[in-house]
């Protein structure tokens, strides 16, 4: 949660820096550096733990139909943010060559945070499926022969 809040703070601090650049052609360095630190630092603070949630191998595309809707929505939203950020940076580069450098972490932080949350949700769902499969395979373990469930 702290990483997500950090990303939001970074974006909130970065927007005035970008608007100041658009108005004056310059931006305050303290706003830019704090925006960079909060946005990227928070994004990575969400991404790395999110990736480590899954105990096994997470197959995003192969298991797409088995993933929860919330994980799929976060995954799609993260990629939409990345593509939108790329398009905005390309279009902004035509007006000013310095502007894409100011915009990149305003999109990068949210992309990293959304990807981290998506990986956490999808990884947890994969863990639940893995655990359910292990429990299903060992239903009869340790039971006497007359108490075992019939094979399916």
């Amino acid at each position: 949660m702290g990483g997500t809040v950090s990303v939001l703070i970074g974006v909130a601090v970065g927007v005035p820096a970008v608007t100041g650049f658009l108005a004056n052609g310059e931006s305050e360095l303290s706003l830019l550096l704090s925006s960079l630190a909060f946005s990227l630092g928070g994004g990575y603070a969400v991404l790395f733990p999110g990736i480590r949630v899954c105990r096994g191998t997470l197959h995003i595309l192969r298991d797409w139909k088995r993933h929860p809707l919330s994980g799929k929505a976060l995954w799609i939203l993260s990629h939409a943010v990345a593509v939108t950020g790329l398009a905005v940076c390309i279009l902004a580069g035509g007006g000013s060559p310095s502007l894409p450098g100011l915009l990149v972490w305003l999109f990068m932080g949210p992309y990293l945070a959304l990807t981290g949350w998506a990986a956490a949700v999808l990884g947890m769902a994969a863990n639940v499926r893995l655990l359910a499969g292990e429990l299903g395979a060992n239903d009869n373990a340790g039971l006497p022969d007359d108490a075992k469930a019939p094979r399916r």
Side-chain angles (χ1 to χ4, degrees):
M1 291 304 282
T4 304
V5 171
S6 179
V7 168
L8 294 174
I9 291 170
V11 170
V13 169
V15 169
V18 170
T19 55
F21 179 80
L22 290 173
N24 305 332
E26 291 183 1
S27 190
E28 190 174 330
L29 185 60
S30 63
L31 285 176
L32 292 174
L33 292 178
S34 60
S35 174
L36 172 70
F38 278 113
S39 188
L40 292 183
Y44 284 118
V46 174
L47 179 66
F48 291 142
I51 290 172
R52 296 190 65 197
V53 166
C54 189
R55 291 185 343 194
T57 304
L58 179 60
H59 302 285
I60 301 290
L61 296 178
R62 187 175 77 186
D63 293 338
W64 188 255
K65 291 182 180 180
R66 299 172 67 191
H67 292 312
L69 182 61
S70 59
K72 290 190 270 189
L74 286 169
W75 188 257
I76 291 168
L77 184 61
S78 71
H79 284 77
V81 167
V83 169
T84 302
L86 177 63
V88 167
C89 287
I90 289 171
L91 293 173
S96 170
S98 301
L99 190 55
L102 300 174
L103 291 171
V104 72
W105 63 79
L106 292 180
F107 289 97
M108 192 67 177
Y111 165 73
L112 293 172
L114 287 168
T115 302
W117 280 108
V121 170
L122 297 176
M124 188 55 68
N127 288 342
V128 169
R129 286 193 305 271
L130 180 67
L131 183 62
E134 288 175 1
L135 291 177
N138 296 325
D139 281 344
N140 295 329
L143 295 175
D145 288 336
D146 60 337
K148 290 184 179 180
R151 295 202 181 258
R152 296 174 223 163

